[in-house]
Amino acid sequence: MAKSILAGRRIHIAGSISPDPKIASPEEVDLARSFVSLLVEELVRKGASFVIPVDAEKLRNGDAKPICFDWLIWQTLRDNLASRPASAVFPLAVAVLHHKTEQQIPTEFSTCGRDARFRCHFDRNVSHWNMNSKRMEAQAREGDILISWEAQKACSILPIST
């Protein structure tokens, strides 16, 4: 089988779902999350790596559905490790942390960095910054491809300039 052009590329999926159910219904939230999960599964099979923020899981008012995809991506990576090619480069993910990260990591992900199968690199170089823009700069330096998700149900894929 030919090696995928995505092998070794670091993918950053960014964006969020509107917290307003009038803009994004609960069914649309579920569809968006399903799409992201399937996309991540396919990227894992192609040998891609990821840039994923580590932050709190913010929930929508009313239906308590997650606004962002970050923890969904972490969970999908973990659930699909067996489908990742043996030749895929490590680390599987680069996570950019901030000063509050340790308190915000859900318990089920606390061992991620120590799991040899799950090998992640945690970038603590910006952990002292309380500005999201500085963390986004660090994420941009680590990524090759940015997939941005708009709150109004649109998705665009952009290469990250170096």
Side-chain angles (χ1 to χ4, degrees), residues 62-100:
D63 60 19
K65 292 187 180 283
I67 292 173
C68 296
F69 303 105
D70 305 335
W71 291 111
L72 172 66
I73 295 167
W74 282 114
Q75 186 63 51
T76 305
L77 287 179
R78 189 168 252 190
D79 292 347
N80 289 278
L81 284 173
S83 64
R84 193 162 194 253
S87 62
V89 298
F90 283 96
L92 170 62
V94 173
V96 177
L97 310 179
H98 58 81
H99 71 286
K100 296 185 290 185

Side-chain angles (χ1 to χ4, degrees), residues 17-98:
I17 296 171
S18 174
D20 185 349
K22 292 176 188 162
I23 295 174
S25 71
E27 295 77 24
E28 290 169 328
V29 173
D30 292 340
L31 285 172
R33 291 181 62 77
S34 240
F35 173 81
V36 169
S37 184
L38 290 169
L39 175 63
V40 171
E41 287 176 27
E42 185 60 27
L43 292 169
V44 167
R45 279 193 286 280
K46 302 275 187 196
S49 296
F50 296 84
V51 176
I52 313 169
V54 177
D55 209 342
E57 179 85 290
K58 295 172 184 86
L59 304 176
R60 292 171 18 133
N61 290 331
D63 60 19
K65 292 187 180 283
I67 292 173
C68 296
F69 303 105
D70 305 335
W71 291 111
L72 172 66
I73 295 167
W74 282 114
Q75 186 63 51
T76 305
L77 287 179
R78 189 168 252 190
D79 292 347
N80 289 278
L81 284 173
S83 64
R84 193 162 194 253
S87 62
V89 298
F90 283 96
L92 170 62
V94 173
V96 177
L97 310 179
H98 58 81

